[in-house]
Amino acid sequence: MAERDFLADFAALSRIGATAGGGVHREAATAEDGAARRWLCSWFERHGLHTAVDEVGNMYGSAEWLPGAPSVLVGSHLDSQPTAGRFDGAYGVLAAVHAVAAARDAVTAGTVVPMYNLAVVNWFNEEGSRFSPSLMGSGVYVGAFDVESTLAVTDRAGVTVGEALADIGFAGTDPMPPAVSYAEIHIEQGRILQDTGTDIGIVTANWAARKYSVTVHGAQAHTGATHLADRHDALIGASRLVLAVRELAEAFEPGQLLGSVGRFTVSPNSPVVVPGTVTLAVDLRSADPDVLDKAHEQFLAVVDAVNNDGEVAVEIDSLSLRPSTRYQSSGIVLAEAAAGRAGLSSRRMSTMAGHDSVNLKDVVPTVMLFVPSDAGISHNEAEYTADQDLLNGVAMLTEVVTALLTRGSAG
Ligand SMILES: [Zn+2]
């Protein structure tokens, strides 16, 4: 029965911002994100969880037994990339909702004696597509970003985070509940679990990532009337960078380095104008910090080489490093025991993608879990995870939440 409820809830949530291709389009603080958030609020209300919203739009649905005690936080994100799959983030929030409700019912029935309070969380703007950077709400929660500058971040139309949250009715004032531990479940977005026939991935570390925001400055000119010698074509310089990033990744052993350019904006983008400016977002990732350092040096050398050619000027506007760090071994061991109790197979693995849990693990013991992703397809409408895998994950997360709620030591 509970399983049927979960699948019905997931189908209902997937209809919000649904695309014709079977995915969702629900970028942070858009009308569609607002609708998904109101759906979650009504779920909290119907199931007796107390709703709160903090200043940066993180939503909480809590069950409190011990006034003043910290909470076991469980969640993920409801926002999506453009034309994305319906599982990324949303599955984790809904699994958290069902796991928390089940644990709360066990407490009410007296079969579980809690040492902490319990709350679901929907983190604001995990994806970072409309507002950059990603992992924004959880970043504020852990103190990596401050509230004021986060609310002032603008999208490409100049709308601030603060304005966008107010527009959808989620500019909150509630305090952030202190956490004692954190758990998150997510689709793998890779193919290891499917290829090895494993039910659950238990994440031990995250890949390191370097992200660069780059502007190539040229000079706008007439495509039909400007001699080649007189051109400063920003798109030529930008194209060299795009290809160099791929070549750089291919120069390492397979699987060591990922590199891509995700965002690429040509200005003024007219058929008869030599582009004056191109901005691009470069993303390099590796499990090995040395490989990423090497790739960083090589990328800077490519930037220098393009600059030295003299046709364009390349400027790195911002760069960030997300180091590779490990999840607490106490949580890994706890999760393995939980998988055993739930009768599910599990394996340890690292996460290549970023998740809010990467932030949370820096401040509290954190458990990060994966369920299989069909063919590893993600950030794509064809993203798919089978019903049984979704339900296995809910059972697993429920075991983990119950264990976190009752263990004597949070270490
Ligand atoms: Zn996600």
Side-chain angles (χ1 to χ4, degrees):
M1 190 60 83
E3 296 192 339
R4 219 180 309 149
D5 289 346
F6 177 85
L7 294 174
D9 281 344
F10 189 69
L13 181 54
S14 300
R15 281 193 287 274
I16 301 172
T19 61
V24 295
H25 191 123
R26 245 174 10 214
E27 287 186 276
T30 57
E32 292 75 18
D33 186 32
R37 288 163 160 269
R38 282 191 296 280
W39 183 90
L40 184 62
C41 283
S42 87
W43 202 101
F44 288 162
E45 255 166 55
R46 275 181 283 126
H47 293 82
L49 297 175
H50 174 259
T51 303
V53 181
D54 70 24
E55 285 177 289
V56 293
N58 296 320
M59 293 173 63
Y60 310 90
S62 58
E64 193 178 304
W65 306 279
L66 306 163
S71 297
V72 173
L73 277 187
V74 196
S76 196
H77 61 96
L78 288 180
D79 72 310
S80 84
Q81 292 287 336
T83 52
R86 62 191 192 276
F87 298 88
D88 180 351
Y91 167 64
V93 172
L94 197 62
V97 151
H98 278 256
V100 162
R104 189 271 321 268
D105 291 348
V107 170
T108 305
T111 53
V112 165
V113 180
M115 302 195 59
Y116 311 104
N117 296 312
L118 187 54
V120 177
V121 55
N122 167 35
W123 300 111
F124 173 67
N125 188 29
E126 190 271 353
E127 295 288 1
S129 56
R130 179 180 178 192
F131 298 104
S132 184
S134 57
L135 312 185
M136 189 176 265
S138 59
V140 173
Y141 183 90
V142 302
F145 308 136
D146 70 86
V147 172
E148 207 172 316
S149 53
T150 298
L151 292 176
V153 170
T154 53
D155 67 7
R156 276 174 284 179
V159 178
T160 67
V161 166
E163 289 163 349
L165 283 171
D167 283 348
I168 60 166
F170 281 88
T173 54
D174 295 314
M176 298 175 173
V180 63
S181 54
Y182 177 69
E184 177 167 356
I185 195 163
H186 202 277
I187 57 165
E188 181 195 341
Q189 304 174 290
R191 56 200 313 164
I192 295 170
L193 293 176
Q194 186 178 54
D195 287 352
T196 58
T198 311
D199 298 321
I200 300 289
I202 298 172
V203 177
T204 56
N206 65 289
W207 276 38
R210 278 190 181 271
K211 300 186 182 190
Y212 311 76
S213 173
V214 178
T215 303
V216 181
H217 302 276
Q220 192 172 323
H222 194 307
T223 53
T226 314
H227 283 293
L228 287 184
D230 295 334
R231 292 190 188 198
H232 298 279
D233 188 336
L235 187 49
I236 295 295
S239 303
R240 287 184 60 188
L241 294 180
V242 172
L243 294 175
V245 166
R246 168 59 74 87
E247 285 161 11
L248 209 153
E250 285 176 345
F252 287 88
E253 291 296 312
Q256 280 204 313
L257 182 76
L258 299 177
S260 48
V261 172
R263 174 174 287 168
F264 195 89
T265 310
V266 180
S267 174
N269 211 17
S270 160
V272 284
V273 178
V274 174
T277 313
V278 176
T279 57
L280 54 156
V282 178
D283 183 323
L284 298 175
R285 300 184 195 219
S286 177
D288 181 342
D290 295 336
V291 167
L292 195 64
D293 282 348
K294 247 182 245 164
H296 173 63
E297 294 304 325
Q298 289 171 8
F299 178 64
L300 295 184
V302 169
V303 168
D304 281 348
V306 175
N307 270 329
N308 289 337
D309 267 7
E311 176 162 357
V312 298
V314 182
E315 201 176 345
I316 297 179
D317 304 315
S318 69
L319 75 175
S320 67
L321 167 65
R322 180 193 299 151
S324 170
T325 47
R326 300 189 62 77
Y327 286 74
Q328 290 85 356
S329 55
S330 58
I332 296 165
V333 171
L334 179 146
E336 285 174 338
R341 288 196 298 280
L344 299 167
S345 59
S346 69
R347 65 181 289 134
R348 297 183 181 199
M349 55 200 298
S350 52
T351 177
M352 296 159 82
H355 296 290
D356 293 304
S357 70
V358 173
N359 276 334
L360 268 289
K361 77 164 166 17
D362 291 343
V363 295
V364 289
T366 292
V367 177
M368 181 73 203
L369 306 168
F370 284 157
V371 291
S373 290
D374 190 42
I377 295 167
S378 190
H379 288 183
N380 181 308
E381 291 166 299
E383 192 177 80
Y384 178 72
T385 294
D387 286 354
Q388 189 56 52
D389 290 326
L390 298 177
L391 296 171
N392 287 347
V394 176
M396 174 70 188
L397 189 62
T398 304
E399 284 289 344
V400 166
V401 167
T402 305
L404 290 172
L405 202 55
T406 54
R407 71 173 171 178
S409 149

